[in-house]
């Protein structure tokens, strides 16, 4: 081991690093300590003592502030960076690398020179934590090891909540180099312990070398290497192999009165219902964000949650709409709130369901000291909490955790949901006509933008598979790999399109938030052949009588035929307009596989035939019966 490491590590940490017997790890640690120049560095193992050290360090440094309730803390990010930073997140690209349009790239040599220059000395005067994690269950064929260097105890604490410990996994690596590396520095901090030099923030992804460099960032989506940054590295790795890495929830659906559970995955853009779907009452959660999918010897699709926690949007979490999450957030347990209002040691957020007179008119929030009526530099009133405020909790703290959530073999997947924030086109639930049609459904997700990413909200954007923000391979390759994956399976999952955000002409939502429970139970029944359906050009639609019975069983509520017609009539003109947008988008993209255009053209042909025959822009489900 190099003598250079002894400048930063005490004897205890040196011994912990030596115990791994891994020259590749030592080389990475030495290289980046010499670059970032921290005052000291500490190796953290899987021991509870080491993990408690990180937890307490976050409080001692002021990166987290304890709240009144036991185990609760709050963290604040820089006021101007409280969401994923697409603009400054770039993939390092060599001249011979193929990338899809829309992927933010920079020349690899240029990018490395820039980001390494910014990181030179970025940790001066601070402590660097050297962390080891496992993405996915440990001791599993899904396991992906990750090495993290960070000068933020908040980042380290968050990762302890969100991921499985991995020091022992690195021991099992037996000196190998099959691991991702993440280097992060929050940079210079101001008096609120938030990043000061945000104009020099960078998140550069090097898929060739399996590394991510993040500097002058604190918001977890930009600073926690193991989250969306690792997703990019895993997408690259999976798409150059025979498995899939997806931006997906995993949940167990438990139909009423039946002693069975069926596992589904689901892909939704940020703030479009992914976590709330995974947390539907009466169901069990395996994961809410990222999944690895592999086939098994029996021809099943199996999936694991790479995480062991939830980094969820807290806005609109209230006792009525999200009772399970709300209960978790308001009872003692280890949990980090971020960018919420704190008054007298208690957290408050947007849409939490309190009467107006119970919401404080002053306190500390994402803008600093806050009082009702405070305005930002543009004259806009600052709300009590940021719209993208978050909570971070362990999965096993949830009452609805699936008892087998950590199974190293993963779960057999029977169905896949794709959904977006779509106000005027897709029906609430429909089933794909085939695996190819299902992949097409995922590839044509559109969604209105939200506060979960920096930029304007309410803009309709294409977000294929809810993964385009993280795409690092040509999209045509990604789609082809989906088709190949499905073709290898004997028991191919059924695919469903969901839309929780359909609106009437006045802009009112046509569904209650809780109605998604009916849609997912209907989907589970379709997997088992328990419901008939209406075949239409856009997919199989539910029968009214089946939904009526389910609404009675699930909610003891009447579901009238007028609601059914308003929700499940096919908006042919809107679908054809969407087809034009897809042609505009994918017509410019090289390498889009033939199956995509075959499905696309068939849908267009069938829809145009209906308009020609009926002269109507909207037709009811009964038209296809």
């Amino acid at each position: 081991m190099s003598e250079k490491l002894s400048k930063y590590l005490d004897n205890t940490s040196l011994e912990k690093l030596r115990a791994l017997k891994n020259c590749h790890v030592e080389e990475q640690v030495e290289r980046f300590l010499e670059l970032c120049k921290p005052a000291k560095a500490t190796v953290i193992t899987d021991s509870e003592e080491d993990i408690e050290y990180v937890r307490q360090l976050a409080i001692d440094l002021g990166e987290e502030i304890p709240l009144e309730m036991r185990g609760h803390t709050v963290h604040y990010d820089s006021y101007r960076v409280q969401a994923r930073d697409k603009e400054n997140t770039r993939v390092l690209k060599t001249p011979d690398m193929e990338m899809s349009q829309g992927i933010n790239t920079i020349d690899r040599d240029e990018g490395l020179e820039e980001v390494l220059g910014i990181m030179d000395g970025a940790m001066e005067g601070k402590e660097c934590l050297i962390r080891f994690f496992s993405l996915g269950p440990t001791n599993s064929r899904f396991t992906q090891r990750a090495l993290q260097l960070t000068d933020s105890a908040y980042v380290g604490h968050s990762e302890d909540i969100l991921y499985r410990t991995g020091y022992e996994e690195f021991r099992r690596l037996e000196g190998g180099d099959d691991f991702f590396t993440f280097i992060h520095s929050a940079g210079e901090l101001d008096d609120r312990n938030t990043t000061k030099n945000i104009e020099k923030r960078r998140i550069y992804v090097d898929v060739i070398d399996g590394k991510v460099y993040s500097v002058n960032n604190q918001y977890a989506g930009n600073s926690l290497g193991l989250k969306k940054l690792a997703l990019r590295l895993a997408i690259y790795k999976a798409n150059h192999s025979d498995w899939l890495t997806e931006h997906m929830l995993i949940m167990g659906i438990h139909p009423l009165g039946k002693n069975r559970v069926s596992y589904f995955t689901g892909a939704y853009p940020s703030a479009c219902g992914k976590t709330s779907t995974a947390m539907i009452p009466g169901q069990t959660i395996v994961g809410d964000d990222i999944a690895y999918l592999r086939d098994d010897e029996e021809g099943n699709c199996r999936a694991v949650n790479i995480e062991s926690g939830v980094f969820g949007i807290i806005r609109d979490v209230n006792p009525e709409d999200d009772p399970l999450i709300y209960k978790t957030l308001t009872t003692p347990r280890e949990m980090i709130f971020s960018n919420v209002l704190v008054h007298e040691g208690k957290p408050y957020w947007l849409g939490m369901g309190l009467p107006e007179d119970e919401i404080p008119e002053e306190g500390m929030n994402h803008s600093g000291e806050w009082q009702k009526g405070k305005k930002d530099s543009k004259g806009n009133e600052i709300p009590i909490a940021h719209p993208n405020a978050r909570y971070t909790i362990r999965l096993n703290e949830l009452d609805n955790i699936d008892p087998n959530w950590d199974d190293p073999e993963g779960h057999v997947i029977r169905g896949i949901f794709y959904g977006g924030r779509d106000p005027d086109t897709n029906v609430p639930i429909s089933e794909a006509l085939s695996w190819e049609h299902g992949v097409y459904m995922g590839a044509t997700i559109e969604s209105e933008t939200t506060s979960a990413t920096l930029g304007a909200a309410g803009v309709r954007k294409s977000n294929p598979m809810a993964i385009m923000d993280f795409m690092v391979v040509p999209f045509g390759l990604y789609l082809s790999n989906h088709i190949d994956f499905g073709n290898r399976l004997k028991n191919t999952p059924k695919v469903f399109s969901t839309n929780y955000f359909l609106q009437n002409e006045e802009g009112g939502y046509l569904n209650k938030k809780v109605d998604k429970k009916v849609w997912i139970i209907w989907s589970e029944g379709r997997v088992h052949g328990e419901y008939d359906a209406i075949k239409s050009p856009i997919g199989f639609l539910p029968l009214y009588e089946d939904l009526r019975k389910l609404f009675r069983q699930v909610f003891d509520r009447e579901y009238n035929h007028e609601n059914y017609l308003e929700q499940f009539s096919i908006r042919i003109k809107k679908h054809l307009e969407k087809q034009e947008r897809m042609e505009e988008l994918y017509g410019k993209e090289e390498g889009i596989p033939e199956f995509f255009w075959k499905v696309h053209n068939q849908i267009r042909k069938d829809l145009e035939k209906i308009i020609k025959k009926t002269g109507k822009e909207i037709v009811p489900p009964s038209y296809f019966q």
Side-chain angles (χ1 to χ4, degrees):
M1 187 174 287
S2 167
E3 292 183 3
K4 293 180 181 178
L5 286 171
S6 61
K7 292 193 302 183
Y8 305 101
L9 302 173
D10 62 19
N11 288 335
T12 301
S13 287
L14 283 169
E15 286 302 315
K16 291 174 181 176
L17 202 57
R18 287 193 187 102
L20 296 177
K21 299 178 182 178
N22 193 310
C23 63
H24 303 289
V25 172
E26 292 178 19
E27 184 275 329
Q28 302 273 20
V29 171
E30 178 183 314
R31 175 187 172 195
F32 293 111
L33 290 181
E34 285 285 276
L35 174 71
C36 297
K37 303 177 181 61
K40 63 177 287 192
T42 305
V43 174
I44 304 297
T45 68
D46 299 347
S47 74
E48 180 53 42
E49 180 183 0
D50 281 5
I51 292 170
E52 174 58 32
Y53 173 80
V54 176
R55 189 182 299 133
Q56 187 60 45
L57 185 64
I59 294 172
D60 293 345
L61 294 175
E63 292 188 67
E64 294 178 36
I65 303 167
L67 298 178
E68 179 183 71
M69 190 165 289
R70 178 178 55 81
H72 292 196
T73 59
V74 66
H75 164 81
Y76 292 106
D77 298 311
S78 175
Y79 179 66
R80 287 184 286 164
V81 186
Q82 303 199 0
R84 277 190 289 109
D85 188 353
K86 293 184 182 181
E87 181 181 351
N88 291 294
T89 302
R90 297 184 178 182
V91 179
L92 303 182
K93 181 180 181 294
T94 60
D96 61 339
M97 288 174 68
E98 294 182 6
M99 291 280 175
S100 289
Q101 58 176 341
I103 298 176
N104 199 8
T105 64
I106 187 171
D107 177 77
R108 186 169 185 263
D109 292 339
E110 177 188 348
L112 284 173
E113 182 179 3
E114 179 188 22
V115 75
L116 293 175
I118 295 173
M119 297 192 91
D120 189 355
M123 296 185 184
E124 285 183 355
K126 297 199 282 185
E127 179 176 356
C128 176
L129 300 172
I130 301 167
R131 311 301 314 275
F132 303 90
F133 294 99
S134 172
L135 300 172
T138 57
N139 203 18
S140 162
R141 68 190 181 108
F142 289 94
T143 303
Q144 174 61 55
R145 299 165 186 85
L147 168 65
Q148 168 87 67
L149 280 75
T150 180
D151 60 7
S152 169
Y154 158 70
V155 167
H157 181 203
S158 296
E159 289 177 332
D160 281 323
I161 293 174
L162 291 172
Y163 300 96
R164 299 164 179 89
T165 55
Y167 182 81
E168 292 303 319
E169 278 298 327
F170 273 80
R171 280 181 181 267
R172 282 193 279 270
L173 194 52
E174 296 180 341
D177 63 355
D178 184 14
F179 59 89
F180 296 150
T181 303
F182 305 96
I183 308 95
H184 166 257
S185 173
E188 186 180 355
L189 304 179
D190 59 22
D191 56 4
R192 293 187 66 223
N193 279 303
T194 64
T195 294
K196 197 171 185 179
N197 300 314
I198 62 169
E199 72 282 354
K200 292 183 179 180
R201 66 189 185 275
R202 299 290 185 275
I203 308 109
Y204 284 1
V205 182
D206 188 358
V207 295
I208 294 175
D209 205 21
K211 290 186 178 65
V212 176
Y213 305 86
S214 177
V215 61
N216 293 318
N217 286 297
Q218 285 177 301
Y219 172 72
N222 304 320
S223 61
L224 267 68
L226 280 71
K227 202 159 185 64
K228 298 301 169 42
L229 307 180
L231 173 60
R232 293 171 171 90
L233 297 183
I235 288 170
Y236 187 84
K237 185 173 183 178
N239 278 275
H240 288 84
S241 185
D242 61 354
W243 49 290
L244 302 177
T245 297
E246 299 301 319
H247 186 205
M248 286 181 167
L249 64 84
I250 309 173
M251 66 183 299
I253 300 179
H254 302 252
L256 295 172
K258 298 181 176 69
N259 185 27
R260 71 174 184 235
V261 56
S262 302
Y263 291 96
F264 279 56
T265 61
Y268 300 77
S270 292
C272 289
K274 184 148 59 75
T275 298
S276 63
T277 299
M279 294 290 290
I280 290 173
Q283 320 313 310
T284 52
I285 183 173
V286 176
D288 83 315
D289 200 20
I290 303 172
Y292 292 165
L293 282 67
R294 291 182 180 270
D295 56 327
D296 65 16
E297 293 179 355
E298 288 77 41
N300 297 308
C301 169
R302 287 185 174 267
V304 298
N305 176 17
I306 73 159
E307 302 180 310
S308 58
V310 176
F311 176 64
I313 294 174
I314 198 170
R315 182 176 185 171
D316 294 333
V317 173
N318 57 64
E320 180 179 352
D321 296 328
D322 294 292
L324 288 171
I325 304 177
Y326 187 83
K327 177 184 175 184
T328 301
L329 300 182
T330 53
T331 49
R333 67 193 71 245
E334 184 179 3
M335 176 164 43
I336 307 171
F337 293 91
S338 60
N339 305 318
V340 299
L341 173 70
V342 173
H343 177 72
E344 296 181 350
K346 296 179 180 179
Y348 298 85
W349 57 89
L350 296 168
M352 68 184 297
L354 290 179
E356 186 75 21
D357 60 0
E358 292 185 23
I359 297 175
E361 296 189 356
E362 62 180 10
M364 177 73 72
N365 75 356
H366 57 293
S367 70
E369 291 291 339
W370 176 86
Q371 61 283 331
K372 189 174 182 179
K374 181 180 179 180
K375 296 183 178 180
D376 62 19
S377 59
K378 296 180 179 179
N380 299 315
E381 189 167 322
I382 298 173
I384 63 167
H386 194 274
N388 195 37
R390 299 276 179 152
Y391 60 90
T392 304
I393 54 173
R394 285 191 170 85
L395 268 173
N396 59 16
E397 293 279 4
L398 300 175
D399 290 344
N400 64 327
I401 183 73
D402 193 273
N404 301 309
W405 74 274
D406 200 26
D407 189 333
E409 295 300 316
H411 295 81
V412 174
I413 300 303
R414 303 298 303 273
I416 298 171
F417 296 123
Y418 288 114
R421 186 175 285 266
D422 174 2
D424 58 19
T425 305
N426 282 330
V427 298
I429 186 75
S430 63
E431 178 193 329
L433 303 174
S434 64
W435 175 252
E436 289 78 11
H437 183 218
V439 175
Y440 176 87
M441 279 180 167
T444 55
I445 290 176
E446 288 185 311
S447 190
E448 288 189 340
T449 54
T450 69
S451 57
T453 55
L454 297 178
V459 179
R460 189 198 301 265
K461 287 190 175 182
S462 176
N463 198 335
M465 311 297 206
I467 208 167
M468 207 61 192
D469 288 352
F470 319 109
M471 189 55 58
V472 291
V473 297
F475 193 59
L477 171 65
Y478 174 83
L479 290 180
S480 295
N481 287 342
H482 270 72
I483 296 301
D484 292 344
F485 182 81
N487 288 342
R488 290 200 306 272
L489 301 174
K490 293 179 182 177
N491 305 307
T492 309
K494 286 183 178 292
V495 181
F496 300 86
S497 170
T498 70
N499 180 22
Y500 307 147
F501 302 95
L502 190 62
Q503 299 175 14
N504 58 27
E505 292 182 356
E506 290 74 40
Y509 290 115
L510 296 180
N511 295 111
K512 294 185 177 181
K513 288 184 179 181
V514 295
D515 290 357
K516 62 175 73 78
K517 185 172 183 178
V518 168
W519 314 144
I520 64 125
I521 290 177
W522 178 82
S523 302
E524 197 272 348
R526 283 289 294 169
V527 163
H528 293 278
E530 294 177 349
Y531 301 117
D532 290 330
I534 302 167
K535 186 177 181 180
S536 80
I538 66 162
F540 292 106
L541 306 176
L543 294 169
Y544 167 65
E545 285 301 327
D546 291 331
L547 294 184
R548 185 184 183 195
K549 290 176 184 177
L550 282 172
F551 269 92
R552 285 175 174 173
Q553 291 173 359
V554 174
F555 298 121
D556 193 22
R557 190 169 98 217
E558 190 62 34
Y559 179 67
N560 64 52
H561 197 258
E562 289 72 22
N563 288 341
Y564 173 75
L565 289 177
E566 194 171 17
Q567 293 164 5
F568 286 94
S569 290
I570 296 181
R571 294 152 178 81
I572 298 175
K573 183 181 178 182
K574 291 294 183 181
H575 276 281
L576 288 173
E577 289 173 356
K578 178 176 179 176
Q579 289 239 312
E580 290 176 2
R581 293 192 294 270
M582 295 302 107
E583 289 166 11
E584 175 71 17
L585 176 68
Y586 290 117
K588 301 175 182 178
E589 184 80 28
E590 294 183 6
I592 297 298
E594 182 181 349
F595 89 86
F596 179 92
W597 294 116
K598 184 177 180 180
V599 173
H600 178 89
N601 292 334
Q602 186 63 54
I603 294 172
R604 174 180 276 283
K605 178 182 176 182
D606 291 343
L607 292 175
E608 288 176 341
K609 188 182 297 184
I610 296 170
I611 278 200
K612 186 175 181 180
K613 183 176 180 180
T614 67
K616 296 180 178 179
E617 297 179 354
I618 301 175
V619 295
S622 59
Y623 176 84
F624 304 100
Q625 289 179 294

